[in-house]
Amino acid sequence: MNTVTDKAVHRVEWPKGMVSGAPYWAYQDEETYRLEQKRIFEGPVWNYVCLEADVAKPGDYRTTFVGEMPVIVVRGEDGEIYAFENRCAHRGALIALDDGGHNAKDFQCVYHAWTYDLKGNLKGIAFEEGSNGQGGMPKDFDKDKHGPRKLYVSTLCGLVFASLSEEVPPIEEYLGEEILGRIERVLCKPVRIIGRFTQALPNNWKLYAENVKDTYHASLLHLFFGTFRITRLTQGGGVLVSEDGGNHASYTIDAPGDAKSEEYARQGIRSESQYRLADPSLLDSVDEFGDRIQLQILTVFPGFVLQQINNALAVRQILPKGIGRMELNWTYFGFEDDTPEMKKRRLKQANLVGPAGFVSMEDGCVGGFVQRGVAAASDQFSVMQMGGDATRTDTTRATEASVRGFWKAYRTHMGI
């Protein structure tokens, strides 16, 4: 039983323009959740749907979601990428049932065998003219007027984004110059997918969106980060925030001098520990981008994450599944020109992240801690004032600027 829906939600007024705190009803209210589907995920945003490597050849396809809307992404025979709603125009069944495939010539609904081409156009109806001169579809039925909704598609650095809105700006403008540069920094050459899985999380989707934008928590929650100095607030780095607040990139610069810092121990913070690795080669890394950045987490509003932790590269897709549930799609990748040694390194370092990752296992439960903790606090607000109340780029990670940026973008799209 989802206890969130069993309690009355008291929606207190959210002061106009306030982004330094969010009302807890935003994670609990069914009406708000439904509005998010229309105003955000189906609105003028770019939703990440897959990698170009997922649909490398004509007929290659992936099934995914835009918010709660099931979507098919496919490479057409003309080499272009198309995206359309995974919903048969006849009675609403899913058109494609699996996660993806290759060499598709068309898609046929299993329910009544209505058939669609790779652009999402209805092209065939079983027994359209009836049987033995009886039944069938009306003579004036126009297949061109019936079909799943089609999405606008944009590609960038091997990423595929889709939108239902004709008002969405070009992807480069949507990202902003700084965030675009940080995507290009990592996705600098053709990628090769090395693994994927889906993780179920017991929390509202916005709690995970906040989490990956939250530079403040990383070395406090994640014992591994602090102990092995992958990222600590005493190291160099900073956070970039797009003008609209929705997109961000945080980064940590390798700083050997941080080994002398006693700040964590002085404050009695649990992220300083005496744990050591039985196999230290897990952290054997190379500076493959030549800038000494050993960690970068980048997000694109509303639900895309690009991760570089040492040489562990991945994209994550945030998918809402109800008020207090979500799914996180992980896709691990390397580059087509990776040496066998680099591929082995990436596979080993992939153990840093995921449901049981040395780093991110805590993220799998902390959102649920919040969801449970605020169950009776729909009339209260969170406090997000680290670093002030601005949503701008900064040279410190002891700030919640990018989390505030999320709420700035959220309030803009929701009109609240």
Side-chain angles (χ1 to χ4, degrees):
M1 179 179 293
N2 187 347
T3 57
V4 173
T5 60
D6 296 334
K7 297 182 182 296
V9 174
H10 178 41
R11 290 185 52 169
V12 296
E13 182 180 357
W14 194 351
K16 186 177 180 180
M18 177 183 178
V19 294
S20 59
Y24 290 130
W25 57 253
Y27 312 111
Q28 303 168 329
D29 183 52
E30 181 70 36
E31 180 184 354
T32 298
Y33 179 78
R34 289 299 156 200
L35 283 174
E36 290 169 354
Q37 301 304 310
K38 293 297 182 183
R39 295 182 181 178
I40 295 179
F41 294 99
E42 297 181 25
V45 304
W46 283 113
N47 299 275
Y48 167 78
V49 286
C50 69
L51 291 167
E52 283 198 76
D54 286 313
V55 290
K57 299 178 180 179
D60 290 354
Y61 68 95
R62 292 289 301 174
T63 59
T64 184
F65 293 86
V66 166
E68 287 195 340
M69 177 190 291
V71 170
I72 298 171
V73 186
V74 59
R75 177 83 65 173
E77 295 177 353
D78 58 1
E80 297 296 316
I81 298 175
Y82 298 91
F84 52 92
E85 188 176 13
N86 189 3
R87 174 189 58 84
C88 182
H90 179 218
R91 298 274 288 279
L94 292 171
I95 299 170
L97 302 179
D98 48 13
D99 292 335
H102 304 283
N103 304 315
K105 301 302 180 183
D106 53 34
F107 297 97
Q108 188 173 88
C109 176
V110 69
Y111 199 179
H112 298 94
W114 284 35
T115 305
Y116 302 83
D117 65 20
L118 300 184
K119 297 181 180 181
N121 300 311
L122 176 61
K123 71 173 190 176
I125 298 175
F127 292 100
E128 182 176 2
E129 298 180 358
S131 175
N132 298 320
Q134 295 181 315
M137 297 294 290
K139 297 298 183 182
D140 61 352
F141 183 81
D142 188 350
K143 289 194 284 290
D144 290 340
K145 295 181 179 179
H146 295 81
R149 284 177 284 183
K150 297 177 182 178
L151 290 81
Y152 299 95
V153 173
S154 188
T155 60
L156 177 84
C157 298
L159 304 170
V160 183
F161 293 90
S163 180
L164 278 156
S165 174
E166 62 181 12
E167 298 178 0
V168 67
I171 186 66
E172 294 84 0
E173 180 183 333
Y174 184 83
L175 294 170
E177 184 177 350
E178 286 189 313
I179 305 304
L180 174 60
R182 289 302 178 126
I183 291 176
E184 293 173 336
R185 170 188 170 269
V186 175
L187 295 171
C188 55
K189 49 187 173 180
V191 307
R192 176 172 295 170
I193 296 168
I194 59 176
R196 67 171 94 244
F197 60 82
T198 298
Q199 178 183 6
L201 297 177
N203 52 262
N204 187 276
W205 71 274
K206 297 185 293 296
L207 286 170
Y208 190 83
E210 284 185 314
N211 178 271
V212 289
K213 291 175 178 286
D214 180 359
T215 56
Y216 177 36
H217 88 280
S219 63
L220 305 176
L221 173 67
H222 302 303
L223 188 66
F224 195 95
F225 266 163
T227 298
F228 297 101
R229 289 176 164 78
I230 295 174
T231 181
R232 288 157 55 92
L233 291 175
T234 48
Q235 291 175 292
V239 58
L240 308 174
V241 185
S242 62
E243 185 175 351
D244 67 354
N247 314 317
H248 106 288
S250 60
Y251 61 99
T252 302
I253 297 175
D254 181 23
D258 175 67
K260 299 178 181 179
S261 173
E262 298 180 356
E263 191 66 19
Y264 284 79
R266 185 182 66 80
Q267 297 186 54
I269 296 172
R270 63 177 287 274
S271 293
E272 182 77 9
S273 79
Q274 300 302 313
Y275 289 110
R276 295 295 177 263
L277 289 170
D279 179 10
S281 69
L282 173 71
L283 296 179
D284 284 348
S285 304
V286 296
D287 182 12
E288 61 181 311
F289 304 112
D291 53 15
R292 295 174 49 232
I293 292 178
Q294 58 190 39
L295 178 145
Q296 177 181 283
I297 301 295
L298 181 150
T299 63
V300 176
F301 188 88
F304 170 74
V305 184
L306 173 62
Q307 160 216 303
Q308 175 232 330
I309 302 176
N310 288 348
N311 302 115
L313 308 178
V315 294
R316 313 175 197 171
Q317 180 189 27
I318 301 171
L319 298 175
K321 296 297 178 183
I323 298 174
R325 298 187 303 114
M326 60 160 283
E327 289 182 354
L328 188 63
N329 284 342
W330 297 75
T331 304
Y332 298 92
F333 67 89
F335 298 117
E336 288 186 356
D337 63 357
D338 279 351
T339 63
E341 292 76 17
M342 178 60 85
K343 183 176 181 179
K344 182 178 180 180
R345 178 182 290 112
R346 293 199 203 282
L347 288 170
K348 181 176 285 190
Q349 291 186 7
N351 290 289
L352 293 171
V353 290
F358 290 122
V359 173
S360 62
M361 59 181 174
E362 297 94 344
D363 288 331
C365 57
V366 73
F369 295 165
V370 177
Q371 194 80 49
R372 291 156 56 190
V374 305
S378 61
D379 60 346
Q380 301 296 311
F381 285 75
S382 62
V383 178
M384 297 181 291
Q385 297 178 7
M386 285 294 295
D389 58 6
T391 60
R392 58 176 177 265
T393 294
D394 208 334
T395 54
T396 178
R397 285 161 295 118
T399 179
E400 290 167 310
S402 47
V403 185
R404 291 189 291 269
F406 170 81
W407 289 109
K408 177 182 177 181
Y410 178 90
R411 299 197 70 172
T412 298
H413 284 281
M414 290 289 285
I416 56 176

